[in-house]
Amino acid sequence: MAKTTIRTVCGLPDYMRCGLSVEVEDGAIIRIRPGEFPDPADRGICVKALATREMVYHPDRLEHPLKRMGERGEDKWQRVSWDEALTAIAAQLQDISRRYGPGAVAWMVSVMPNLAGGGYSRLASLTKGTVVDWWGCGDAAGPCADIATFGHMMGSVHLLSDPNPRFVIVWGYNPAETNYDHMRKIVRAKKKGAKVVVIDPRFTATAAHADEHIALRPGTDGALALGMINVILQEGFRDKRFIAENTVGPLLVRRDNGLFLKESEVTPGGKPDALMIMDEYSGRRQVAGTPQAKPAVNGSFSISGIDCQPAFQLLSDMVREYTPEKVSQIADIPADVIRRLAVAYGSRKPASIFRGWGMQRTFYGDLACRAINTLAAITGNMNLEKPSTFVLNSRRFLLPGEPHNTLPVMLLYDAVTKNQPQAVKAVWCSGHDFVNQMPNMNRVTEELLPHLELVVVCDLFMTPSAKFADYVLPVASFYECTDLCVATFYHSYLQLQQKVMEPLYECKSDFRIAAELGQKLGFGEFFNKTDEQYIEELLDSRHPTMEGVSLARLKEGPVMARSLDRPLQFKTPTGLIEFYVERLKKFGQELPIYLEPVESLRSEKAKTYPLSLLTTHSRNRIHSSLAKIPSLLGQEPEPTLEISPADAQTRDIMDGDTVRVFNNRGQVSLKARLSHRIKPGVVNITQGWWPDQYLQGHHNELTHESVNPVQEFILGPNAAFYDVLVQVEKVPE
C-alpha cells in the first residue's frame, strides 16, 4: 500500500491543539511531523507529541473491556464483551439513579475535543446526571480571579498587551517546557529588544532565556504585585485615563457598607442599578457613563450625607502599606529588585505579563491572580481587543435534554463520603486519572472509593484509577477517531482531527462508547448519526463566524477565525474591569488583599515541616499522561526530589541518595537531586508519576483537599497543590 500523509490534530489532554502531519503506511503510523497552518508561526510540536506513536503501539495498552473480579485495587480482571459490559453498566446506572436520584451518577471527563467530550455531556443531560467540573484539580483559582476581574474564565489573555511588547514578565510559568506557542512569542519579543523577567521559586528552562530571574517565596506573588502597585503609584506610572474609562476605579463606594453608591440612594426617582461617580469638571455627582464627564479616581466625598470614595482611592489606600521594604520581608526578595521591576513594568510600555498557573495553586491563588490583573489594569498594560473565535451549534449538541448538574471536583470528596452538597454513588471517568491526580490520595483510596457503588474508567492504559474501577473500557487514541477541535485561548483555528488509522484491538472512541451506552439507556434517537454527521451539525450554527466553514473545507486544512467588529464587553456586574469586587465584600476580599499561605514557611507547622513542596509539570508528560512512554522515560527515567544544596547539607543528603518526604498526611520515597536552581526552603517533585514509579508512597499523599469558600462562591474551589509543607530525611542504606 502506498504511503499517505494525513493532517490531523494532537489530542493530548491540553489546550494546545497543535497540528500534526502523520505519515501512514499499510494502516500504521510511521512518522509524525508538525502540521501546516495559515500562519507558519503556529507550526510546531513538542517532544510529547512526537512520542505519541509509542503510546499507540505500547505493549501495555488496553485491548478489551474488563470486569473487576477481586477487591478494588487487587488488579484481578475478567475479559468481557462490549455488550456485556455496557448492558451491566447501564443497568447499574439506572438502579443507582432510581435509588438516589439521577444526580448521584457523576461524569468525570478531561479536556477533550467536541465529539469525545460532547458524547458524555449528552448522556449527562439526557439522564439528568452530574458533570464533575475538573477545573478545581489545580486550574480553578486563576479562572476564579478572571471571572471576578473580567467576567470570563480566561482573562489572562488581556495581560498580553501587545504582540510586540518592550517588557515581558513571565510569572509563575514555565512555557519553555509546557507551552511552546507562548515561548515562541517570548523569544520573538526578546529578539526584538524586549527585556524578559521570570518570577519563579525555581530557575526554570524559561528563566534560562530571561534577562533576570526573581526567586520569590512560594505563595507570595500577590504581595509582590501589591508592592509593585505601591511603587507605580508613588512614581506616577498609573494610567488615569485607562482607569477612568475601563475599570471600576471612579465608581463611588459607600464607606458605611462597602457597596457601590446607587443613584436611587442620593437622587429621588433615581435608578437603583445606576452607579455614581464624582465629576472633576463640575464637582458634582454624576451617573457613571455620563457623556463628557471626567470621573475622579481619587478623593473622599460626602453625597447626601453618605461618605464615599472612588474604588481606586480604596485600592491606593490599601497598597500604601505594601512598601518595597515590607514586601521584601514577605516575599524574600530585595526591595530594590521590587522597585526596579515595578518601574520597568510601568514605564517600558507596552508591557506584557505571561501569567501562568503556578501561583494559583496556593490556597489564596485567586487573590494573587487578581492582584496581578489589577497591576496590569492600573498601568493600562492590557489588550482589550475582542478575541476572534468560532460560534458552533454547541448547546443543541451538548444539551439535548435539560442542563445537567455541575459539581466542582474539590467537592466530590464530601459528595461521595457525606452526601454533601449532594449524593454521588457512581463515577464514570474518562481521560482523567483521578486517583493519581487528586489531592490527598489516601483519602481518595481509603474513604472516597469505598463509598462508591460503581466506578467505570475509560482509558488507553491500566492507570492507577483504572485499577480501582469495576469496569475498564479500552479507548481509541486520537489517531483512531475523527473529531472537531475548536479554537482555544492559545490560537484561533478550527481544525478537523482526522482519523489516521482504524482502532486497534477492541478499542472504541469516547463518542462511540457514549453512543452505545446511550442506546442501552434508551436514548438511541440521540445517538443515531455518524461522527461526520454530528460534526456537520456542530458546524451548522449559522453564526457569522462560521461563514464558509464546512466539513469539506476543514478536510483541506485548519480555518483561522475572522475578527468581528464588535467591542469587547466585560461580563462583570458593572461591565468594567473590577479590581474592587462588590460581591466579595462579605468575605472581606473586595480588594485583592494579600493573605499568607495556609501552609506557610512562617507558620507554627513549619517548625515540624520546614520545607515548601512544589509539584510542577514536566516537559515529558501532560499530567499523568505518557508516564510510561519509553523515549520520554529515557529523558526522565524516575521521579526525583529537587532540593537545594543548602537544605541537603543540613540533612546529610548527597546527590542520588534515597530520601523520605513526609508530613502529617502521608509520605513518598525517591532519590534526591541536588540543584542550585531551586530556592532554599523549597523542594520540588514533578507531578504525574504513577505510584509504582516511586520507591514508596506517592507525592499526592502529601497534598491536601482544603476548600477555599471564596473560590467556591465564584466558580469552584481549587486544589492548593503548591501550598504544602513537608520534611525531608535521608533513608539509611
Side-chain angles (χ1 to χ4, degrees):
M1 184 183 293
K3 294 180 182 178
T4 59
T5 300
I6 301 171
R7 206 276 185 192
T8 189
V9 185
C10 181
L12 290 174
D14 62 17
Y15 287 102
M16 305 306 167
R17 299 295 180 244
C18 299
L20 301 180
S21 178
V22 183
E23 197 171 319
V24 179
E25 184 175 21
D26 294 331
I29 298 171
I30 59 173
R31 189 177 183 186
I32 300 168
R33 291 176 291 182
E36 298 296 335
F37 280 98
D39 185 348
D42 294 313
R43 185 177 185 269
I45 55 176
C46 65
V47 294
K48 296 183 283 288
L50 291 172
T52 50
R53 183 184 179 279
E54 297 173 67
M55 174 189 75
V56 173
Y57 299 110
H58 199 288
D60 293 341
R61 191 169 165 190
L62 293 170
E63 300 180 6
H64 321 285
L66 299 171
K67 177 182 178 181
R68 174 175 62 83
M69 295 306 294
E71 296 295 320
R72 281 192 184 143
E74 276 193 276
D75 208 17
K76 294 181 180 179
W77 306 95
Q78 176 186 351
R79 178 179 173 179
V80 293
S81 70
W82 275 102
D83 185 67
E84 288 176 296
L86 293 178
T87 298
I89 291 167
Q92 285 186 256
L93 292 176
Q94 289 170 328
D95 179 59
I96 289 170
S97 294
R98 278 193 299 268
R99 289 187 288 120
Y100 301 104
V105 175
W107 305 85
M108 183 183 290
V109 182
S110 73
V111 180
M112 290 184 174
N114 284 268
L115 286 190
Y120 297 123
S121 177
R122 286 170 84 82
L123 283 175
S125 171
L126 292 165
T127 61
K128 302 180 178 62
T130 295
V131 169
V132 177
D133 184 353
W134 55 266
W135 276 89
C137 199
D139 294 337
C144 280
D146 292 340
I147 290 171
T149 308
F150 305 113
H152 64 93
M153 293 175 64
M154 290 299 146
S156 60
V157 297
H158 300 304
L159 309 186
L160 305 179
S161 63
D162 191 276
N164 296 300
R166 296 181 59 225
F167 189 74
V168 172
I169 299 177
V170 186
W171 204 324
Y173 194 18
N174 186 19
E177 295 189 341
T178 61
N179 187 331
Y180 297 153
D181 176 65
H182 274 177
M183 194 62 202
R184 287 193 292 267
K185 289 180 171 64
I186 293 165
V187 171
R188 284 199 296 268
K190 193 171 188 295
K191 287 180 178 179
K192 292 180 180 180
K195 182 179 179 182
V196 177
V197 176
V198 170
I199 302 172
D200 198 300
R202 301 166 60 236
F203 187 85
T204 61
T206 303
H209 291 272
D211 297 288
E212 183 176 7
H213 170 236
I214 299 173
L216 80 175
R217 182 166 66 94
T220 62
D221 305 85
L224 176 56
L226 296 177
M228 291 173 66
I229 295 172
N230 174 293
V231 173
I232 283 165
L233 297 186
Q234 291 292 324
E235 298 295 330
F237 291 124
R238 69 172 184 173
D239 188 331
K240 184 177 178 181
R241 180 175 178 179
F242 187 92
I243 294 167
E245 293 179 356
N246 299 288
T247 80
V248 294
L251 297 184
L252 295 175
V253 179
R254 296 177 56 137
R255 299 193 65 149
D256 57 354
N257 60 16
L259 304 180
F260 290 126
L261 184 66
K262 314 296 193 300
E263 185 187 23
S264 60
E265 296 170 336
V266 294
T267 302
K271 298 178 180 178
D273 58 349
L275 305 179
M276 304 301 293
I277 62 168
M278 178 60 69
D279 184 4
E280 284 190 346
Y281 283 134
S282 64
R284 297 179 180 178
R285 64 177 184 256
Q286 295 277 10
V287 173
T290 299
Q292 309 305 318
K294 184 181 180 183
V297 297
N298 290 105
S300 297
F301 311 100
S302 180
I303 300 176
S304 299
I306 301 175
D307 292 334
C308 52
Q309 290 181 299
F312 182 76
Q313 181 65 59
L314 296 174
L315 174 69
S316 302
D317 294 342
M318 188 266 285
V319 301
R320 191 170 291 126
E321 67 175 286
Y322 290 94
T323 63
E325 290 71 24
K326 178 175 180 178
V327 173
S328 173
Q329 295 175 358
I330 295 172
D332 194 23
I333 52 179
D336 66 320
V337 170
I338 299 167
R339 287 193 182 89
R340 186 175 68 248
L341 179 65
V343 169
Y345 182 72
S347 62
R348 289 178 60 93
K349 295 184 177 182
S352 287
I353 296 176
F354 286 81
R355 197 196 78 202
W357 299 97
M359 85 288 295
Q360 59 115 37
R361 294 192 176 105
T362 59
F363 189 77
Y364 298 113
D366 54 319
L367 283 169
C369 292
R370 283 179 59 200
I372 294 170
N373 292 347
T374 302
L375 170 66
I378 64 116
T379 57
N381 279 313
M382 303 206 75
N383 175 10
L384 298 188
E385 291 186 9
K386 187 176 180 66
S388 302
T389 189
F390 295 92
V391 178
L392 301 176
N393 188 23
S394 297
R395 182 174 178 81
R396 178 181 169 189
F397 177 73
L398 298 175
L399 302 173
E402 297 179 8
H404 51 65
N405 180 45
T406 300
L407 180 72
V409 69
M410 293 299 290
L411 302 185
L412 185 64
Y413 297 84
D414 284 352
V416 172
T417 61
K418 302 177 182 178
N419 299 333
Q420 295 293 333
Q422 65 172 82
V424 169
K425 297 299 178 182
V427 168
W428 178 291
C429 181
S430 185
H432 182 59
D433 191 358
F434 70 97
V435 170
N436 201 74
Q437 295 301 108
M438 288 178 68
N440 199 345
M441 176 184 278
N442 288 331
R443 188 179 178 199
V444 173
T445 57
E446 296 170 10
E447 294 184 37
L448 189 150
L449 285 165
H451 279 80
L452 288 169
E453 295 187 15
L454 176 66
V455 178
V456 180
V457 170
C458 306
D459 214 302
L460 278 75
F461 299 97
M462 184 61 73
T463 63
S465 295
K467 287 184 178 180
F468 284 92
D470 300 300
Y471 290 90
V472 179
L473 305 179
V475 174
S477 73
F478 61 85
Y479 290 116
E480 299 163 313
C481 52
T482 300
D483 216 316
L484 182 67
C485 296
V486 73
T488 73
F489 47 89
Y490 291 124
H491 64 73
S492 56
Y493 294 102
L494 189 63
Q495 303 177 80
L496 186 65
Q497 178 188 293
Q498 298 195 79
K499 181 192 286 188
V500 168
M501 56 183 287
E502 291 301 316
L504 295 177
Y505 319 116
E506 293 184 23
C507 299
K508 296 178 184 287
S509 72
D510 276 290
F511 185 71
R512 283 298 118 200
I513 295 172
E516 292 184 19
L517 179 63
Q519 291 164 1
K520 297 284 187 184
L521 292 170
F523 300 108
E525 63 184 292
F526 295 96
F527 295 97
N528 57 5
K529 297 180 182 179
T530 66
D531 293 4
E532 290 198 352
Q533 286 174 330
Y534 278 118
I535 289 175
E536 288 177 328
E537 183 179 302
L538 278 163
L539 297 175
D540 188 26
S541 69
R542 316 225 175 145
H543 192 272
T545 59
M546 300 302 296
E547 184 178 344
V549 180
S550 65
L551 180 59
R553 171 68 184 83
L554 289 171
K555 287 182 178 179
E556 297 173 2
V559 178
M560 181 181 284
R562 293 184 298 108
S563 180
L564 294 179
D565 295 327
R566 295 181 180 177
L568 178 65
Q569 294 180 321
F570 294 108
K571 296 181 180 179
T572 56
T574 62
L576 298 165
I577 298 169
E578 295 194 5
F579 52 74
Y580 188 97
V581 184
E582 184 186 65
R583 60 196 171 121
L584 298 184
K585 173 66 181 176
K586 61 184 178 180
F587 297 100
Q589 295 183 20
E590 63 275 15
L591 287 167
I593 59 175
Y594 169 73
L595 296 174
E596 187 72 6
V598 294
E599 296 206 357
S600 167
L601 283 171
R602 299 177 182 180
S603 66
E604 187 68 22
K605 186 173 183 177
K607 294 178 180 178
T608 306
Y609 306 109
L611 297 171
S612 180
L613 172 69
L614 305 179
T615 48
T616 61
H617 289 78
S618 167
R619 70 188 297 267
N620 297 309
R621 292 182 301 282
I622 297 178
H623 303 294
S624 63
S625 298
L626 308 178
K628 297 295 183 79
I629 301 302
S631 67
L632 299 178
L633 286 171
Q635 300 177 49
E636 189 181 4
E638 62 181 337
T640 57
L641 179 78
E642 185 181 8
I643 184 170
S644 74
D647 290 324
Q649 184 178 14
T650 61
R651 293 164 175 80
D652 192 30
I653 294 170
M654 303 292 288
D655 194 65
D657 283 348
T658 298
V659 296
R660 184 172 77 101
V661 187
F662 62 97
N663 60 18
N664 58 313
R665 289 179 291 270
Q667 63 178 337
V668 62
S669 295
L670 69 171
K671 291 181 181 178
R673 179 168 60 87
L674 274 60
S675 172
H676 290 282
R677 293 171 173 255
I678 192 165
K679 188 177 181 69
V682 183
V683 293
N684 180 57
I685 304 171
T686 57
Q687 63 102 345
W689 296 101
W690 293 12
D692 62 2
Q693 293 175 301
Y694 286 106
L695 299 174
Q696 182 183 7
H698 191 271
H699 66 271
N700 267 333
E701 291 186 22
L702 305 166
T703 54
H704 58 86
E705 75 283 20
S706 305
V707 169
N708 184 316
V710 177
Q711 296 169 4
E712 182 179 356
F713 175 74
I714 298 174
L715 171 66
N718 193 46
F721 285 119
Y722 294 5
D723 204 333
V724 173
L725 288 177
V726 298
Q727 177 59 290
V728 175
E729 65 180 15
K730 182 177 179 178
V731 175
E733 295 183 3

